Amino acid sequence: MPSPLTAADLVYGLASVSSPSLSPDGTRIAFVHSTTSAEDHKTTSRVMVKDTAGGEPDRFTNGPNDSLPRWSPDGASIAFLRKDDKQHDQVWVIPANGGEGQQVTTRIWGVVDYAWSPDATQLVISADVPDPKEPGPGSPDYDEDIPHSRSVQRIRYQYDSVGWRGEMYRHLFVVDVENCEEQQITDGSCDDMAPVWSPDGSRIAFISGRRPDHDTRWRSEAYVVSANGGKAERWSGDLGSVSGLGWSPDSSRLCAIVTELDGAYVGAQSYQGIVALLGPGKDPAFLTHETAAPDSLSPPTFRAIELKWGNDDHIRFLATYRGQSALNAVAATGGEVEIIAAAEGTLSGISHSATGSVAAVLGTPNSPSQIALVDGDSWTSFTDANREFFKNHPPARMEKFTLERARMSIESRVMLPPDFDPSQKYPMILEIHGGPNGAFLDAFMADHHLMATNGYVVLAVNPRGSSTYGMDFMTAVFDDWGGEDYEDIMAAVDEMASRPYIDANRMGLHGYSYGGFMTTWTIGHTIRFKAAVAGAPVTNLSSFYGTSDIGVSFGERQISGRRMDEIEKYLFRSPISYVESVETPLLIMHGESDVRVPMEQSEQYYVSLKRLGKTVEFVRFPDFSHLSKRSGHPVLRQEYSDRMLSWFDVYLKEK
């Protein structure tokens, strides 16, 4: 009988694939294959190339840290990112049929994103330009052995997982592939990201935040600049935010993922966007509704996503609705949105060939990532890197249910042990997602499989506030943290607790980030749970406002006001205000390098509980940012999961 999954299995046993790039003729595909070694705890990523007709993939690069391959428009070369000695990404180019690689860039802080010119002779890159007023690597008088002060002159002076920004900004450079000469084409006190070259080669579109209030508002715009440099022109008018760009075939207009919601950054699936047309001096033309969430940029790297405006005048894009993804199309003249190919899972990283074939990364509840190709109106998996792993480690099984509450439909996912027996009684763990505008999708959730294969039933609720369920559903959480979303979650808990196979006396809960907020909020408002684990929780909105890298821009949108104007509301919505009511044993885990939810949030909550004599343990992870739970050092990621499972085993498993 297969043994339950361990945290080590999930950290070291699973391979991942990402960043598919189809050759222009659609006959070959490049992608990244990554594994993590249990011996040296290092992750190795290499570019692989495979014929789309079938066969085994060939290793195209030797790594160990290669990523983001992109085929040249003429099909002759493949560019990719490779880390230099300082662990910064640089662009390399290798002939598509093999040969000697050429390093094209040598940027001090590396390259964030890049795109080929239509004639394949140049690249446009997005890269950090060091602050000329602050000494740093590359400065003539910089000595790394001498401590240096750093001056802060703006609110958003650091970003989680990116680090110190100060007055350093990302700008665009055009690089000649043959001689590696660079020309900077944008500048200013702004970050210029996600460049997309026009089909005629004359202009470059990009995303930036250049409005006067960009330091305090969560905003971005679409700009167009000549490929030779010059003044950038804003094409997105007064839209709240732009995330993802594509050119029309005649280079006259842009299609984009946008939102009209002021102060709400439309990125990844955190905010629901719509597809719109943008042009110089023109009002945006909206083509889709706000039901599904189109695929868009993902912070903190903000790398371009691919929107395909075809010669048939249709725009093709990925979107997710109620946790499932599909390739969609809409005419540039407007009309109904067509589902071209739906997936029983989630899709990302789409790539289109010039001949019409389409590839993407497919994730399912039972598989973390596969490269898949569109086959008629569905997707066919093209890779299966974890086939042997899942033969030996059967995953949990997912079910769904929906309940109606306060005029909204609340969908939940339930993970059951592989050997689930409905005649038995199981302890249950409630999982709460982050955001608050995140969502549990039809995707592989490692923590859920870890818990379920170790004998727990896992309940994952998408309360109001979750994305992919429409704009009204998503914005219902604004100015109501811990209100109706808490009631939605508890209604789902009530439903599960009534089922004969759930032991309602052995229930726990876990959440990370906003899920950590909701975990600490919940145990301050009910004693139904016998154990709780909070990862990087927001516990004091008042101090979060002044210490988080997004405390102002995010906080004012979510809590609906500045802290100095709404101090009573900030206190009322803070879990730390309810510590005296906590009776649930709590494990808090937090990264010491987290600037998205700074560690002081956990420190305050821990000290308050400890001073009251509550049962609480606090674990600090060094060099661990907010995103490190997914991408941090494997030893610490394993430890987080091990500690979580052990905590629940102590309090929820029958002795």
Side-chain angles (χ1 to χ4, degrees), residues 11-40:
V11 171
Y12 300 110
L14 289 170
S16 68
V17 292
S18 60
S19 303
S21 178
L22 282 163
S23 62
D25 63 6
T27 63
R28 301 171 73 193
I29 186 169
F31 60 93
V32 175
H33 181 274
S34 302
T35 57
T36 301
S37 168
E39 282 72 38
D40 59 12

Side-chain angles (χ1 to χ4, degrees), residues 223-391:
Y223 292 88
V224 174
V225 66
S226 167
N228 296 316
K231 183 177 180 179
E233 183 179 8
R234 189 165 86 203
W235 280 24
S236 54
D238 294 324
L239 286 169
S241 186
V242 179
S243 179
L245 298 171
W247 281 97
S248 62
D250 64 0
S251 301
S252 67
R253 301 196 75 180
L254 292 171
C255 58
I257 308 300
V258 307
T259 182
E260 293 185 280
L261 189 63
D262 184 53
Y265 191 89
V266 50
Q269 284 153 341
S270 294
Y271 284 113
Q272 308 233 171
I274 54 179
V275 179
L277 299 186
L278 310 177
K282 298 179 180 179
D283 291 332
F286 302 117
L287 302 180
T288 66
H289 45 70
E290 295 170 324
T291 301
D295 191 32
S296 53
L297 305 185
S298 296
T301 52
F302 298 98
R303 287 170 175 165
I305 54 101
E306 193 167 331
L307 293 174
K308 179 66 173 179
W309 192 332
N311 292 324
D312 61 355
D313 213 28
H314 278 68
I315 298 163
R316 292 169 176 79
F317 60 97
L318 292 180
T320 303
Y321 176 65
R322 299 183 68 85
Q324 289 189 319
S325 298
L327 174 63
N328 299 268
V330 64
T333 54
E336 293 295 318
V337 176
E338 175 191 1
I339 295 179
I340 298 175
E344 293 183 356
T346 53
L347 299 162
S348 61
I350 194 168
S351 175
H352 301 263
S353 76
T355 57
S357 53
V358 183
V361 178
L362 170 65
T364 69
N366 293 328
S367 177
S369 62
Q370 305 172 53
I371 304 298
L373 299 173
V374 169
D375 184 8
D377 60 359
S378 61
W379 295 79
T380 298
S381 295
F382 185 68
T383 61
D384 194 0
N386 296 304
R387 182 191 305 115
E388 292 303 317
F389 178 88
F390 286 116
K391 280 184 179 178

Side-chain angles (χ1 to χ4, degrees), residues 402-465:
T402 300
L403 56 84
E404 301 296 322
R405 207 208 133 257
R407 302 180 302 282
M408 288 190 176
S409 297
I410 309 302
E411 185 178 64
S412 297
R413 287 160 173 76
V414 178
M415 301 300 290
L416 301 171
D419 57 351
F420 175 71
D421 180 353
S423 67
Q424 301 296 315
K425 286 278 191 181
Y426 292 87
M428 188 188 83
I429 296 174
L430 167 66
E431 272 282 299
I432 309 176
H433 67 62
N437 304 122
F440 289 122
L441 311 175
D442 286 1
F444 187 86
M445 302 294 295
D447 283 347
H448 298 186
H449 285 274
L450 175 66
M451 297 172 191
T453 61
N454 280 274
Y456 294 98
V457 170
V458 180
L459 170 63
V461 188
N462 281 336
R464 67 197 66 206

